[in-house]
Amino acid sequence: MEHPENDAKYVGLRVNAGVKSNPTVNPYRKVVKKKRILTAGEYVEGILKGDVSLLGRAVTLIESTAEDHQSIAQEVIEKCLPYSGNSRRIGITGVPGAGKSTSIDVFGTHVIRQGHKLAVLAIDPSSERTRGSILGDKTRMEKLSLEKDAFIRPSPSGGSLGGVARKTRETIVLCEAAGYDRIFVETVGVGQSETAVHSMVDFFLLIQLAGTGDELQGIKRGIMEMADGIAINKCDGDNVDRCKLAAQQFRTALMLFPPTPSKWVPEVVTYSGYYELDIDKVWDMIDRYFKYVEETGYFERKRNEQARYWMTETIEEQLRSRFYHTPGLKELLEQKELRVLNNEQSSFTAAKDVLDYYFEYIRK
Ligand code: GDP
């Protein structure tokens, strides 16, 4: 039987002319041109003049994983190195809620009043997960973000802690070349990131609270051992006595620790970030420390040690990254893993096969 669709009179499936819809994209919008990547020389020239916008853009290159960005970034860092180093680098840690943002806002304003230029950086390896970073966010530092002599940069996001830390360390170089002579590096006092911060600062400040019962408050002993100074925050209102008592307890606890490599005895002070009380006490402590390490030569020694440490770290990170980016390696690794799990091959011979594959690749 002839199908009705083939009949010219059939109207069952006719497509009507559609209604023209309005354009969804605003035809009047301005086309924003992507910013041109400058040459390394142009970035360096801007940075040395203290151009904040170029400094920010160069830091973005440091944070980028694109290869062409990285090669310019590395050239910029190299060219800025001779102009870097002339600053006091201060690490600031404390558990969430200890009052880091409040305190950095006040400490920062304090050093700017003294005539310094301040860069506030952060290391927060979790910032990729939390999106937009819990650290370094400008809205957390209201006063400081209005200061023209403050450069605030959130934690680089993504990648391993080592990678995030390296980017912050490189950012320090650019900031110093741009004339920032005070650098704060903030981190949350709960994990591994303190070690990374400790390896790039001259002074490590631990912000603590009193009156929560447990004097160590989940702060790992290792972090206490790294601290050059402990500042007990929220020493205001009816919390003052508890803070003084906690300070005493911390001093006693610190006496049981082995001497620090600098032989500096970590100090404990109390203050209130929110009410801006005794801020100069915290700062006097830090000034005393710098005077001490500059006199003993420890300042220089520690910086040299840190430079060595970062060289080794960078080598290891680059090797690891190159290795895992070898074409075909990921697939081979998966195959080998399966064989190892199925008891078809030992872990050691499987590792050797993978390494041989890599060595063969780089030989070519
Ligand atoms: P962060 O998580 O370490 O950055 O801590 P914040 O700076 O965000 O502070 C956590 C809370 O403690 C906020 O509600 C602050 O207002 C409060 N706070 C910070 N410093 C002080 C202080 O000196 N005294 C009192 N009473 N509260 C403070």
Side-chain angles (χ1 to χ4, degrees), residues 44-77:
V44 176
E45 205 188 310
I47 289 170
L48 294 182
K49 274 196 218 135
D51 182 327
V52 180
S53 144
L54 278 185
L55 170 65
R57 284 172 62 187
V59 173
T60 307
L61 290 185
I62 290 183
E63 292 171 355
S64 164
T65 47
E67 231 165 80
D68 52 337
H69 291 174
Q70 268 306 309
S71 73
I72 299 179
Q74 292 308 320
E75 205 182 325
V76 174
I77 295 163

Side-chain angles (χ1 to χ4, degrees), residues 89 123 161-166 169 192-201 226 301-318 320:
R89 307 170 183 163
I123 292 190
L161 168 61
V164 170
R166 178 180 55 80
R169 154 101 194 174
Q192 282 294 309
S193 32
E194 290 69 39
T195 320
V197 175
H198 188 243
S199 66
M200 65 178 81
V201 297
M226 278 190 279
R301 228 170 34 244
K302 187 170 177 185
R303 286 242 171 140
N304 288 341
E305 260 168 40
Q306 289 175 336
R308 248 199 320 266
Y309 169 84
W310 282 98
M311 189 176 99
T312 328
E313 276 289 292
T314 310
I315 292 173
E316 285 174 8
E317 204 205 314
Q318 294 274 326
R320 202 172 304 126

Side-chain angles (χ1 to χ4, degrees), residues 93-334:
T93 193
V95 292
K100 291 182 296 300
S101 332
T102 315
S103 306
I104 290 175
D105 207 22
V106 177
F107 294 159
T109 315
H110 183 80
V111 298
I112 286 175
R113 294 282 165 275
Q114 291 178 332
H116 298 290
K117 279 183 78 178
L118 170 74
V120 180
L121 313 175
I123 292 190
D124 173 18
S126 67
S127 65
E128 191 180 38
R129 262 184 293 130
T130 49
R131 275 265 153 230
S133 173
I134 48 164
L135 293 170
D137 187 347
K138 283 187 184 176
T139 57
R140 295 182 309 124
M141 296 159 197
E142 281 174 20
K143 278 180 251 161
L144 212 48
S145 59
L146 300 175
E147 293 283 350
K148 69 168 181 23
D149 284 333
F151 176 77
I152 304 176
R153 185 85 189 186
S155 172
S157 65
S160 59
L161 168 61
V164 170
R166 178 180 55 80
K167 290 171 194 171
T168 303
R169 154 101 194 174
E170 291 174 344
T171 302
I172 292 180
V173 172
L174 301 200
C175 290
E176 289 174 351
Y180 292 88
D181 60 346
R182 292 291 181 271
I183 314 277
F184 290 177
V185 186
E186 178 191 7
T187 194
V188 178
V190 285
Q192 282 294 309
S193 32
E194 290 69 39
T195 320
V197 175
H198 188 243
S199 66
M200 65 178 81
V201 297
D202 309 309
F203 183 93
F204 199 54
L205 180 72
L206 172 60
I207 296 183
Q208 279 283 31
L209 294 178
T212 50
D214 173 12
E215 73 173 28
L216 297 185
Q217 296 160 38
I219 285 275
K220 294 195 187 73
R221 192 192 150 97
I223 298 176
M224 285 263 295
E225 274 178 33
M226 278 190 279
D228 299 300
I230 296 178
I232 301 175
N233 188 20
K234 309 196 186 182
C235 188
D236 46 53
D238 53 13
N239 205 22
V240 173
D241 287 343
R242 255 178 299 175
C243 287
K244 302 270 180 228
L245 182 66
Q248 214 41 56
Q249 288 172 337
F250 274 117
R251 285 187 195 108
T252 315
L254 282 171
M255 279 201 291
L256 304 173
F257 284 5
T260 57
S262 60
K263 306 277 181 296
W264 160 264
V265 183
E267 294 186 14
V268 184
V269 294
T270 57
Y271 76 107
S272 165
Y274 189 83
Y275 295 100
E276 303 187 23
L277 305 172
D278 288 335
I279 304 300
D280 46 353
K281 246 173 42 186
V282 180
W283 235 252
D284 287 348
M285 163 175 76
I286 296 177
D287 285 341
R288 265 197 303 282
Y289 173 85
F290 276 95
K291 188 165 177 284
Y292 172 80
V293 289
E294 272 156 8
E295 276 169 10
T296 59
Y298 182 77
F299 179 86
E300 205 51 43
R301 228 170 34 244
K302 187 170 177 185
R303 286 242 171 140
N304 288 341
E305 260 168 40
Q306 289 175 336
R308 248 199 320 266
Y309 169 84
W310 282 98
M311 189 176 99
T312 328
E313 276 289 292
T314 310
I315 292 173
E316 285 174 8
E317 204 205 314
Q318 294 274 326
L319 276 178
R320 202 172 304 126
S321 158
R322 293 234 178 135
F323 172 76
Y324 285 108
H325 283 98
T326 310
L329 193 117
K330 194 164 160 263
E331 293 74 18
L332 180 66
L333 212 55
E334 280 166 8

